[in-house]
Amino acid sequence: MDEHEEKERFRRAFSPLRASGGVLTEVFEMTTRKERRAPRAGKRLLVIALTAALALALAAAAYAADLFGIRALLVPGEGRVSLTQFQAIPEDLPPETYAKAENFLDAWAEWKAWRDEYIEKYDPKGSVGCGYDTGYGVRDETMGKMLEQIAAEHGLALQGGVRAGYVNVAWSSDTTGLTGEGFYTNEELAELTASFAGSGSIFAETPVGFDKVYWFPEGNFCVSWYYELPGGEWITCYGCNSRYDVLTNSREVGTAALVDSASFKARSHTAPDGTELTILSNGQEAYIYAWLENSFFAERVSSDIELTDEVLDDIADTLIYSRIGK
């Protein structure tokens, strides 16, 4: 077998692994170089090179398949996740959904680049906010006008500041033992989600308890609720819905920094209503997210007890995603 035939055989053997042809050619050339004084070294080099090529190919295939789905939530360079602003978009989304999500990311990237350059150049002394949500990082009138301009050019609404009368908040009287304005029973809170979340209650069944529920006029909302294990222990679930047509920042909900993002294993799950979900878990902490027609929904699940796949599937199935944003 001549060198050309050997090279083609090498390519065919590794092509299913999706490594680039250039990489495989380079590895092949490395392994077929002849050294007269060290004939046995070639075999060892071949094994090492093939192993390296295989590892590279598998890593590339894993990245392409989004087996490390934490990328959708992990804020680059900050080591934390965001429940209110997705960070990456899978290529296999429906074209209409992809276009909406891409437009959002383009707008945020444009604003962030302009904001950072402006702050570095002029060092504005105003306090962060200036009537806008503090997560935008606006410090003066000029920045506010540019934020509004960028949002308008992309057809996006702005989420206002978290101030009295702007964000609506409700709590559970069943969970807290308190009553009065803003407090509802668990059943009433579950039903209340129909008034701001979409076409009906987003819960398939009433949770055992709520921490809080809050929503904004533009359509974004968050629900913090509890799931009860068979043994009676409660698990905290914190879900946020962010519309593609609202320029939401990534700091609306704070989450702990991820010590080891690679420890999260990703898998897919289909909810009873047919919604395709991604579930990420390291056994103690989990994230569940879905690319919906008009919004991105992400939820953090945390517990001191091991989170099994069965428990996470049941938590995921508690929500009716097809009603959100409709």
Side-chain angles (χ1 to χ4, degrees), residues 166-186:
Y166 181 80
V167 59
N168 301 282
V169 186
W171 293 271
S172 169
S173 57
D174 293 338
T175 305
T176 64
L178 302 175
T179 59
E181 184 178 359
F183 288 88
Y184 302 82
T185 65
N186 290 336

Side-chain angles (χ1 to χ4, degrees), residues 19-283:
S20 68
V23 171
L24 295 182
T25 298
E26 183 177 351
V27 172
F28 174 83
E29 291 175 350
M30 288 173 58
T31 59
T32 54
R33 294 192 185 107
K34 296 182 180 180
E35 297 291 344
R36 293 182 179 180
R37 296 184 180 181
R40 294 184 179 180
K43 292 184 178 181
R44 291 196 297 271
L45 181 59
L46 175 61
V47 173
I48 294 173
L50 291 179
T51 302
L54 179 60
L56 176 63
L58 291 177
Y63 187 88
D66 196 22
L67 296 181
F68 303 100
I70 196 70
R71 287 182 296 137
L73 306 175
L74 191 62
V75 181
E78 297 188 23
R80 65 179 181 87
V81 300
S82 172
L83 295 181
T84 55
Q85 187 188 80
F86 52 87
Q87 302 296 310
I89 314 170
E91 295 183 357
D92 59 350
L93 288 182
E96 299 82 0
T97 303
Y98 188 94
K100 295 175 186 177
E102 184 178 41
N103 178 59
F104 173 94
L105 284 186
D106 287 346
W108 183 260
E110 184 178 344
W111 161 246
K112 185 177 184 301
W114 184 92
R115 179 195 66 189
D116 294 350
E117 181 179 355
Y118 180 86
I119 291 176
E120 182 178 358
K121 184 176 182 179
Y122 297 104
D123 189 24
K125 302 300 182 182
S127 59
V128 177
C130 298
Y132 299 90
D133 190 294
T134 57
Y136 291 124
V138 173
R139 297 186 182 181
D140 62 21
E141 184 178 354
T142 299
M143 295 183 71
K145 289 182 178 179
M146 179 55 70
L147 174 64
E148 292 184 5
Q149 177 181 322
I150 292 174
E153 289 175 350
H154 287 268
L156 304 177
L158 291 177
Q159 183 163 286
V162 181
R163 54 184 181 273
Y166 181 80
V167 59
N168 301 282
V169 186
W171 293 271
S172 169
S173 57
D174 293 338
T175 305
T176 64
L178 302 175
T179 59
E181 184 178 359
F183 288 88
Y184 302 82
T185 65
N186 290 336
E187 185 175 357
E188 289 172 338
L189 270 181
E191 291 300 324
L192 183 63
T193 61
S195 67
F196 60 80
S199 59
S201 171
I202 65 172
F203 289 96
E205 57 183 61
T206 302
V208 67
F210 283 91
D211 170 32
K212 58 181 171 293
V213 174
Y214 62 97
W215 62 100
F216 299 87
E218 296 82 15
N220 291 348
F221 67 85
C222 293
V223 291
S224 180
W225 57 285
Y226 300 108
Y227 172 87
E228 186 175 24
L229 292 170
E233 302 90 349
W234 285 16
I235 292 177
T236 302
C237 308
Y238 202 122
C240 296
N241 184 68
S242 301
R243 293 184 58 86
Y244 302 130
D245 56 5
V246 178
L247 190 58
T248 311
N249 65 79
S250 66
R251 295 186 176 276
E252 177 58 42
V253 177
T255 56
L258 293 182
V259 177
D260 182 13
S261 61
S263 67
F264 285 82
K265 307 304 179 184
R267 62 185 177 89
S268 60
H269 175 72
T270 303
D273 66 355
T275 302
E276 293 298 323
L277 307 172
T278 295
I279 299 180
L280 311 162
S281 176
N282 64 4

